[in-house]
Amino acid sequence: MPDPTLPTFSRRALMIGVGAASIAAFAARGLQSAPSAYATSEGTVLPLVDPLASEPDRSQFDDSEHVFAAYLTVVAPIANSIRDEDPYYGWMEDGWWRAPQQPYNAREMEQVATLTWFLTHERTWNPYFADTKLRDRIEAALGYYLSSQLADGSWSEYEWDVPHLAPTGFGSVALTTTYRYLREAGELTDWLPEIESAVRASSAWLVDRSLGHWRQPTPYTNQVVAGLAGASMTADLFEDADLAAQVAECWATLREHGISDAGHSHEPMAYDFDYSFIVAMPDLAEGALAGFSEPIEMARSMAEFVSYASVLEPDRAGFLHWSAASARIATFTQEMQPNEVLDRTSLGRALIDHVPVLAAFHPTDTEILAARQAWKSDPGPIVPLQRRSTSPRTWMHSSRAPLGPSEAEREDAIATLPYLASDRFTELRQAGSIDLDYLFVRRPEYYITTLLGRRAGHHGPYQRLRMGPGLLWHPTMGGLVYVLNSNDEDAWGPFPEVSSVTRVEVARTYYSEPYGEGERLSAAQVGNLENEFSAAYLDRTNGSHVVLSFFDDHVVQDITADDPGRAVIPLLLQPGDVLTFSDGTEVTYGDSVELTDITGLRLERGTGTLNIDLDRTSTITLDVTDRVRMHDSRRQHLIRVEHGGSLRTTYAFAGPAETASQAPAAGVLSSDNGHHGTDDGNYDITMDLWWGVNAHGMRLFENGELLAYRNLVARSPQPQSISFPVRGRHNGTYHYTAELINAAGTTTARDVTVEVRHAQPGAVVLSHDNYSGDADFTLTTNMWWGTNAERYRLYENGDLIDEQLVESNTPQAQSAATEVTGRQPGVYRYVSEFLNANGISRSAEVSVSVR
């Protein structure tokens, strides 16, 4: 049992300490009225865990463990967020992991697993191994965590004393992991029976199929999957055959009732990319590694649906996800380059042998190894994790994940993606769990996704879903029209009021011919169509009727409304795109414009053209949004078209306006490095082709490695120009080359070399104002000119005593100050640092005498 001299709590003791009346009052007032912050003593009860005394040495981390480096930087802040005063002694109060930041939210306490890893694992780079201050704070956290467990074995998340699935499922994983580490290291052994009792109780709650989280169809599949992973770990840890048998039965039940008829997991009843691919898939891998077949079957079904709902951009910048169909998270893109510190999907790679299509969505083994080597050789400081980005699941999974597929395996998987494997199909999938149709139409010139149906009420968990077409993709141009699920203005079609998009629920009908003509078709019949047809949907909330007609080389959207209104076209533009409106006005990426008497526009990109034609003269606005991804190469722009009650818009595809008969002329690369005052590693590389045969695309290489691909619009012999932002380069030499490409050939541009000399912050000077030997004084750090810092640190006698964020405005001066109080007589030595992602600048040592 735990040491009785230490503060420990039962649920009853917790309520007495808090005050039962206070808990009841908080519950009665609800979440918004609950207290949001409390003052914690500054180490007067439990000593504060020491911050890192120096920057970790990247070279000391094993390849599979460098994910811990970022967590290492926040061990002390997380540990010191554990309260050592009443009320809520032991609660992690600073919101490092999950909202709401309230003492009844057990999700925050999952960080005991993170802190325990550092306490129990001896590494040359880990100063917290067997650290007594960290041990004391973990013990306090365990006391609060275990005492907050409800009598039925569950934990709360959103209000006092109400069982919730997520904190119980994910918490079981965190606590079984904590138990295993403590037992292996012989740490806090008196707490092991308490943890065992807790996870046995939570596992029993999780596998009890009479409870609400097992209702059929089973909602929140990702949370149940995590719960089964935790229960399975418990059964394995304590060799509990009865629990293992119950887990096996639960997997069979979840396989039957946790997957929709459409193939996606229930989140809670609709699709969600983030919760299925990013959250659930790694835990399905846990289930598969534990020897269960049902997780593999579930992963296969979910991955197949994702392969329809995500499109690979032709330039291989990454995947666009059908955000409009995601019920919970505003997932936009998934980039191809590995980032193991932030990659929550990594353990999903363990499923690739069983579900080969998953290889399309993961980096290759070569890319992962190269990224690890680049991380080790990076001279910059390790960037600390930010609040809400400290998921314990990331390090749990990444440190155990296998390498990625080979390049050949990934290419084979990409070739099986439906819209790449075929240029003609119609796929209609019905969710079944709620009244939703997912319509996927592939024709030779395009791929389009459409969501139609009901969202089970205006005030339920599905307000993010956006009805109607959501994603238009072209084989060479990539994503062209794109609806997100996180903004009231996101729609593609009728949009009479700003808020109406969040209320749209439509009645739909399918027809065998375009324009709502021909015979009505059943859902089963739609899935067999290969030629022209149409889908009509009526929105009774705003009185609009839309008919989508699908042809081989164009799509037509007919809108009829009760009143005049406007239609929205959410274009997804890339740098190098050119939009030409019917009046001759040209605009490019990032522009906004308002025009009248417009009958259409032309979007040119690389070797393709999208013509958008209106059947009437309209006033239109084009507005740029801040919704951007893939290194600022994909940005949503909104076109709003005013109409008098009806509007026909045709989206037709054509080849480039210009077909090249000669290879491009030679372009010239240049850099603006140093133009803003310093050679700081942040600059633009620009390609200019002054005159001659134009290119349709450009590949940019940095030190021989492909850095980016950009589409260009050819209008020979006019000049061409495009810039690529390069950010965060360290001191060193960078050589840039480029290839200009058109249908007739490839030409190498004139190269450019960039010398980065000032990547780390400029020289800093530390001073003090204690000329009379007082106990209170101020230390000030100044950088008079140069590359700015992002953080400031101050050390006293070698110990870090202050750290602040500072505002960057290169190359202007920067300053930071620390007030020091209550120093005893003696001599104190101070050193300050200014840091950015590229390095550290240290001051000379300053001594201060206190008399």
Side-chain angles (χ1 to χ4, degrees), residues 330-637:
T331 301
F332 189 161
T333 62
Q334 179 183 355
E335 298 180 20
M336 301 293 281
Q337 293 303 311
N339 184 342
E340 292 184 271
V341 172
L342 299 178
D343 183 7
R344 296 169 61 191
T345 72
S346 57
L347 193 60
R349 297 197 292 266
L351 290 164
I352 289 176
D353 286 346
H354 302 288
V355 188
V357 72
L358 286 175
F361 300 91
H362 285 279
T364 67
D365 50 6
T366 302
E367 290 170 336
I368 292 171
L369 292 173
R372 289 175 176 178
Q373 185 57 44
W375 183 88
K376 279 193 172 185
S377 61
D378 187 338
I382 294 169
V383 179
L385 293 174
Q386 301 299 308
R387 281 180 173 83
R388 306 282 190 268
S389 298
T390 59
S391 170
R393 313 308 298 284
T394 304
W395 63 261
M396 288 181 190
H397 291 157
S398 184
S399 60
R400 298 170 49 229
L403 285 174
S406 68
E407 185 68 28
E409 288 172 327
R410 186 170 70 179
E411 290 305 310
D412 288 345
I414 287 173
T416 69
L417 296 173
Y419 51 89
L420 296 177
S422 172
D423 67 359
R424 185 182 297 278
F425 62 79
T426 303
E427 181 82 6
L428 178 64
R429 298 194 173 193
Q430 296 183 301
S433 45
I434 56 176
D435 185 19
L436 289 176
D437 286 0
Y438 305 96
L439 178 62
F440 307 96
V441 178
R442 178 71 162 101
R443 295 296 182 265
E445 291 295 329
Y446 63 89
Y447 181 58
I448 188 170
T449 64
T450 303
L451 182 66
L452 300 173
R454 295 180 57 82
R455 298 179 298 187
H458 298 317
H459 305 293
Y462 305 103
Q463 294 306 294
R464 285 184 177 272
L465 296 181
R466 302 293 186 249
M467 297 297 127
L471 172 61
L472 178 66
W473 176 91
H474 183 269
T476 64
M477 300 171 74
L480 295 162
V481 187
Y482 186 68
V483 181
L484 285 158
N485 69 348
S486 55
N487 303 279
D488 283 349
E489 61 189 0
D490 263 310
W492 180 7
F495 197 77
E497 295 179 4
V498 171
S499 61
S500 68
V501 70
T502 64
R503 298 197 299 269
V504 173
E505 297 182 4
V506 300
R508 68 278 195 196
T509 309
Y510 303 101
Y511 294 91
S512 61
E513 297 180 12
Y515 309 114
E517 298 176 355
E519 65 176 308
R520 293 191 176 191
L521 303 175
S522 67
Q525 290 174 307
V526 172
N528 295 322
L529 296 174
E530 292 189 353
N531 296 314
E532 302 168 355
F533 76 103
S534 56
Y537 51 99
L538 171 66
D539 174 20
R540 295 186 179 92
T541 63
N542 59 38
S544 66
H545 183 262
V546 179
V547 179
L548 289 175
S549 299
F550 305 99
F551 301 85
D552 272 11
D553 60 358
H554 66 284
V555 176
V556 178
Q557 183 185 61
D558 284 296
I559 297 171
T560 305
D562 292 342
D563 301 301
R566 58 191 170 95
V568 174
I569 306 171
L571 292 179
L572 191 66
L573 298 186
Q574 299 182 21
D577 287 356
V578 174
L579 273 67
T580 306
F581 290 88
S582 57
D583 66 352
T585 300
E586 280 193 4
V587 297
T588 57
Y589 183 88
D591 288 341
S592 295
V593 69
E594 182 173 351
L595 302 170
T596 58
D597 299 328
I598 298 300
T599 59
L601 67 143
R602 182 175 69 251
L603 192 166
E604 296 176 80
R605 176 185 300 164
T607 59
T609 301
L610 170 62
N611 292 304
I612 303 177
D613 296 318
L614 311 175
D615 70 339
R616 63 194 63 241
T617 300
S618 301
T619 296
I620 72 104
T621 59
L622 169 69
D623 291 321
V624 63
T625 75
D626 62 356
R627 297 182 278 280
V628 59
R629 290 294 188 278
M630 294 183 181
H631 302 288
D632 201 19
S633 69
R634 306 293 192 280
R635 184 183 292 268
Q636 190 191 58
H637 296 61

Side-chain angles (χ1 to χ4, degrees), residues 19-30 33 160:
S22 295
I23 291 180
F26 296 155
R29 289 197 300 266
S33 301
W160 292 109

Side-chain angles (χ1 to χ4, degrees), residues 700-723:
L700 180 66
F701 298 85
E702 180 184 71
N703 295 337
E705 297 291 329
L706 180 64
L707 187 61
Y709 179 91
R710 287 291 183 265
N711 288 291
L712 298 168
V713 173
R715 291 183 178 169
S716 306
Q718 297 181 25
Q720 285 184 303
S721 180
I722 192 165
S723 295

